[in-house]
Amino acid sequence: MHAFAASGKGHTAMQHKRYDAVSNIVPATPDTIANAGALIAAGKLVAFPTETVFGLGADATNGKAVAAIFATKGRPAINPLIVHVLDVARAEEHAVFDARAEELVTRFWPGPLTLILKRRPGSPISDLVTAGLDSVAIRAPAHPVARALLAAAGLPIAAPSANRSGRISATTAIHVSEELGESVDLILASGKSQLGLESTILDLTGETPVLLRPGAVTADEIAEAIGPVETGAGDPDKPNAPGQLRRHYAPSTKLRLNAAMADPGEALLAFGPDPFAGRLAISKLNLSETGDLNEAAANLFSMLRTLDGGGHRSIAVMEIPETGLGIAINDRLRRAATPEDKSDG
Ligand code: TXA
Ligand code: MG
């Protein structure tokens, strides 16, 4: 499906200089990853790259360390976390797999698919991770640095996206630092997240699989593997987890969706051929000039972040087709465009 090459090798001298300016960012190398694993085992917080977005990780079996994740993000403790593991064998120590789960992880792990499964009785995962639920969210990430960190720590790692609660996920180490600053003990840098959108979340605790969050593994791909999937039930008005609330992935600047072009005072986030091509006065970025949804997904959060910092009246976002990965992109855009009074904070 996707090739996840280690992207941390080619850092330029200039990038290293930028990292040096922020003392808790280090490029991911075998040494820094080993150190990061030891920090996790000692109850510290480590932000690390995954193929989706950066995670803010802690030992999932250490309640005090997990509590620090919630405090650092300003996240309500009723919002449970995803447990990251190396493989299915380790996942089965914490969650009960049925035939559907086995089939899905055979196809899509390691990768951007999180399963909500029944929690295995006796699992050492802290109750804070699952917010006291009898289910657990679990995924095996594909990114080589995430996998090396899991191996080094020798523990399941609880990790939400490495941003302050309610804000856009971070897709680079610098963005993690902008969000969380010095409150993280270490940030492992390894280029830019390849997928750029959070993992697909599928709830398998009931008879019918329910898509809670669209992502790079699409509902169609899941349905092909295990049969019909309920997709409407990510109904934002009836959240079964606060992360499913309407406004969640939010920049500070207002978004105007499905725009044909930008009005005066607006920035433009284009997709496909640019209606303002050659006109310099407009502040604009293009998710993908060729209309490639993979490229657009990888660019979405970092471009929103850049335009958000520009002091514009609003950001006009051109229409993204509601197919394939476009479904996940539009999900994030709709949540980001929801007015503040509908916010989950
Ligand atoms: O791609 C990703 O999934 C990234 C990387 C770091 O792995 N992680 C991520 O975590 O996006 P977070 O915490 O930002 O989003 C996880 C979502 C939240 O909306 C949470 O409410 C939901 O998963 N969740 C966690 N446990 C759950 C459970 N037992 N039942 C239902 N939803 C759950
Ligand atoms: Mg998040």
Side-chain angles (χ1 to χ4, degrees):
M1 182 179 49
H2 305 281
F4 300 109
S7 49
K9 286 179 196 152
H11 293 304
T12 62
M14 214 173 120
Q15 276 174 309
H16 275 124
K17 217 172 190 164
R18 283 182 72 193
Y19 294 150
D20 287 346
V22 188
S23 59
N24 57 347
I25 301 185
V26 297
T29 65
D31 283 352
T32 59
I33 293 170
N35 178 40
L39 287 173
I40 294 273
K44 305 286 189 196
L45 299 186
V46 173
F48 62 97
T50 85
E51 71 279 18
T52 58
V53 297
F54 277 65
L56 176 61
D59 173 2
T61 67
N62 178 339
K64 236 176 117 184
V66 173
I69 292 180
F70 285 93
T72 299
K73 280 190 57 120
R75 177 166 172 133
I78 51 161
N79 192 356
L81 306 177
I82 298 173
V83 175
H84 297 69
V85 291
L86 256 185
D87 53 28
V88 194
R90 270 118 174 154
E92 289 191 359
E93 294 171 19
H94 311 294
V96 180
F97 278 63
D98 60 13
R100 303 170 302 178
E102 298 284 357
E103 178 60 29
L104 287 171
V105 302
T106 302
R107 292 194 191 209
F108 300 113
W109 276 15
L113 175 66
T114 296
L115 297 180
I116 311 288
L117 298 169
K118 255 207 184 81
R119 200 189 148 137
R120 183 174 293 287
S123 151
I125 300 290
S126 159
D127 284 338
L128 207 45
V129 171
T130 54
L133 299 170
D134 58 5
S135 60
V136 60
I138 200 150
R139 106 172 167 99
H143 196 292
V145 173
R147 295 182 60 72
L149 177 64
L150 283 161
L155 289 161
I157 296 180
S161 51
N163 51 278
R164 278 180 287 129
S165 185
R167 298 214 351 125
I168 302 174
S169 296
T171 52
T172 68
I174 295 286
H175 292 166
V176 174
S177 174
E178 284 169 10
E179 285 290 316
L180 303 172
E182 303 280 312
S183 52
V184 187
D185 296 293
L186 190 76
I187 302 172
L188 286 173
S190 180
K192 185 179 149 186
S193 302
Q194 278 150 312
L195 298 176
L197 294 180
E198 306 85 353
S199 61
T200 302
I201 302 182
L202 186 74
D203 185 346
L204 285 178
T205 57
E207 203 155 303
T208 309
V210 181
L211 188 78
L212 295 184
R213 182 171 74 184
V217 175
T218 64
D220 287 347
E221 286 178 292
I222 294 168
E224 207 208 290
I226 60 165
V229 176
E230 204 177 299
T231 53
D235 181 351
D237 289 326
K238 298 188 197 102
N240 60 354
Q244 315 304 323
L245 287 181
R246 255 190 292 205
R247 181 182 168 89
H248 188 59
Y249 306 96
S252 314
T253 313
K254 203 172 74 187
L255 295 193
R256 188 166 67 82
L257 303 185
N258 302 320
M261 53 172 73
D263 293 334
E266 282 189 319
L268 179 70
L269 187 57
F271 177 78
D274 174 356
F276 286 99
R279 286 168 61 179
L280 296 175
I282 303 293
S283 173
K284 62 186 177 185
L285 290 172
N286 201 321
L287 289 168
S288 170
E289 274 170 45
T290 60
D292 177 342
L293 289 170
N294 292 306
E295 185 185 10
N299 284 332
L300 180 67
F301 289 145
S302 64
M303 288 188 174
L304 279 177
R305 213 171 261 279
T306 302
L307 294 178
D308 195 20
H312 303 286
R313 183 163 62 78
S314 51
I315 301 169
V317 186
M318 287 175 65
E319 187 173 352
I320 312 286
E322 186 76 5
T323 55
L325 202 46
I327 294 169
I329 296 173
N330 284 323
D331 168 77
R332 304 309 190 275
L333 283 171
R334 276 193 295 271
R335 290 171 199 276
T338 298
E340 203 104 42
D341 60 334
K342 302 270 166 53
S343 171
D344 66 353

